[in-house]
Amino acid sequence: MATGTKTDTWWATAAVGAVVIALCYGFARYAYGPFVPRFSETFGLTTVGVGVLGGLSTAGYGLGLLLAPRTSARSARGTVLLAAASATAGLALMALAPHVAVFGVGIAVAGAGAGLVSPGVAQLIGETVGTGARDRAQTWANTGTGLGLAASAFTPLLAFGWPVIWAAFAALGVAVTFLAWRTLPSGPTGTPVAAKAAPGMAPLVLNSVLIGVTSAPYWTFSTSRLAEAGLSPVAATWCWATIGLAGLLGGLAGRAAGRAGLRTVNLATWTLAAAGFALLALPDPGVPLALLSGALFGVTYMALTGLCILWATRLDPERPARAITWSFAGLGVGQTVASPLAGVLAGGLGSAAVFGLTALVALTAWSQLHPRFGPP
């Protein structure tokens, strides 16, 4: 295990952080969606039941976010290990669940790991990586979500029962937790601090809410939109995998922000995101444009969340976990509000119109040209 001093081997900490984030997001949080039909068949779930279980994941995520600033202040490394252990325990509970109540507890525990991991990894990088490489380390670690999505994308096509697949996810979690325990450096230990908002936090939170509002329709309805457009389930799976694979390129946002400025890169990324949403608003996107849409969504979502981390570290350099908690809480609020609203709009206007409106909403990010609404 490395020492708590600043190190130039930033890539090692970023890589292990990315792997833990891949576990907590790609497997413990986002893999739930593609398996909903199988879960519904096993537990006899109605659409209301599916929504309740999804809400439990969000509740666990919120709890993890609430705990993250205090645990990260005490030990950032310990927070990352706690996140990995929570994700692993949640996946194991889901795999072994004899009935839906235990399954719901597992979803909540797994969700808590996702809430803990991003603030913990960001705090650890801030404490152990030198300033020259810190932005790159932050954004590359954040691309772990894309890595997890890509790794889990094709698992719904496997012939195994979902409990076997989930048990494999839990076994992977054990390996990831052990890897993190053996290799992550130790930062300085401290005392818990309150999750107070740093000065200038409002624009960051608004930007994060906008990410949540615009990403929720894609996470929830992109697969059904592709089916509506005539794409096969296999093609839709490839599009989902493309989100994850392209998301790995989001790590370039850190270097780009260092050269062109955080505000410029943020606005350019929002413009590309709007283009990705608009492609699914076309009457017949077809496989090529659907893949391009998935790629644009993947790279911009990972880049935008990574840029939020950089934005947060500029607002609160000593304790970035606090600012990142506020940012990711805003993202969660945006997703929570937008998902049911998008469902209502899809029922009334059609899913293509929802993605057209989402593209227009994404372009409101250009209000950040005004200094009051943009990053520092």
Side-chain angles (χ1 to χ4, degrees), residues 34-223:
F35 280 86
V36 161
R38 296 203 198 184
F39 298 150
S40 299
E41 182 180 352
T42 300
F43 298 115
L45 299 175
T46 63
T47 53
V48 173
V50 170
V52 169
L53 290 175
L56 288 173
S57 176
T58 302
Y61 179 70
L63 177 61
L65 283 174
L66 287 174
L67 293 174
R70 291 182 177 274
T71 59
S72 297
R74 187 181 294 276
S75 172
R77 180 177 183 272
T79 299
V80 177
L81 294 178
L82 178 61
S86 180
T88 301
L91 290 168
L93 280 172
M94 294 167 73
L96 301 173
H99 48 73
V100 71
V102 176
F103 187 82
V105 171
I107 285 180
V109 173
L116 286 163
V117 71
S118 291
V121 169
Q123 183 72 39
L124 184 63
I125 288 173
E127 293 172 352
T128 61
V129 174
T131 55
R134 196 172 295 161
D135 284 358
R136 283 178 289 167
Q138 295 283 16
T139 51
W140 280 115
N142 185 63
T143 62
T145 301
L147 176 65
L149 288 173
S152 64
F154 292 95
T155 54
L157 301 179
L158 297 176
F160 304 107
W162 70 262
V164 175
I165 295 172
W166 243 248
F169 288 172
L172 177 65
V174 172
V176 169
T177 305
F178 180 76
L179 173 68
W181 175 70
R182 289 287 298 171
T183 61
L184 284 178
S186 296
T189 57
T191 57
V193 294
K196 296 179 181 179
M201 186 69 69
L204 170 60
V205 174
L206 287 174
N207 183 73
S208 301
V209 170
L210 188 60
I211 296 173
V213 167
T214 54
S215 65
Y218 211 101
W219 291 124
T220 308
F221 296 106
S222 61
T223 300

Side-chain angles (χ1 to χ4, degrees), residues 270-287:
W270 270 115
T271 305
L272 288 174
F277 299 137
L279 288 174
L280 290 194
L282 297 175
D284 184 17
V287 173

Side-chain angles (χ1 to χ4, degrees), residues 274-360:
F277 299 137
L279 288 174
L280 290 194
L282 297 175
D284 184 17
V287 173
L289 291 182
L291 289 170
L292 178 59
S293 175
L296 286 172
F297 177 69
V299 69
T300 58
Y301 182 80
M302 301 308 162
L304 286 170
T305 52
L307 292 170
C308 279
I309 292 173
L310 299 189
W311 190 337
T313 59
R314 281 155 174 70
L315 293 175
D316 196 351
E318 294 301 317
R319 291 296 175 193
R322 292 184 294 187
I324 291 166
T325 293
W326 281 91
S327 173
F328 278 64
L331 191 155
V333 168
Q335 289 181 332
T336 301
V337 171
S339 189
L341 180 59
V344 172
L345 291 174
L349 302 176
S351 58
V354 169
F355 284 101
L357 290 171
T358 301
L360 293 176

Side-chain angles (χ1 to χ4, degrees), residues 212-281:
V213 167
T214 54
S215 65
Y218 211 101
W219 291 124
T220 308
F221 296 106
S222 61
T223 300
S224 59
R225 169 65 188 134
L226 296 178
E228 179 185 284
L231 272 69
S232 68
V234 173
T237 298
W238 274 105
C239 291
W240 189 264
T242 300
I243 294 173
L245 291 171
L248 298 176
L249 297 176
L252 297 172
R255 181 178 287 274
R259 292 183 174 182
L262 183 57
R263 180 176 305 176
T264 299
V265 174
N266 198 52
L267 290 178
T269 305
W270 270 115
T271 305
L272 288 174
F277 299 137
L279 288 174
L280 290 194

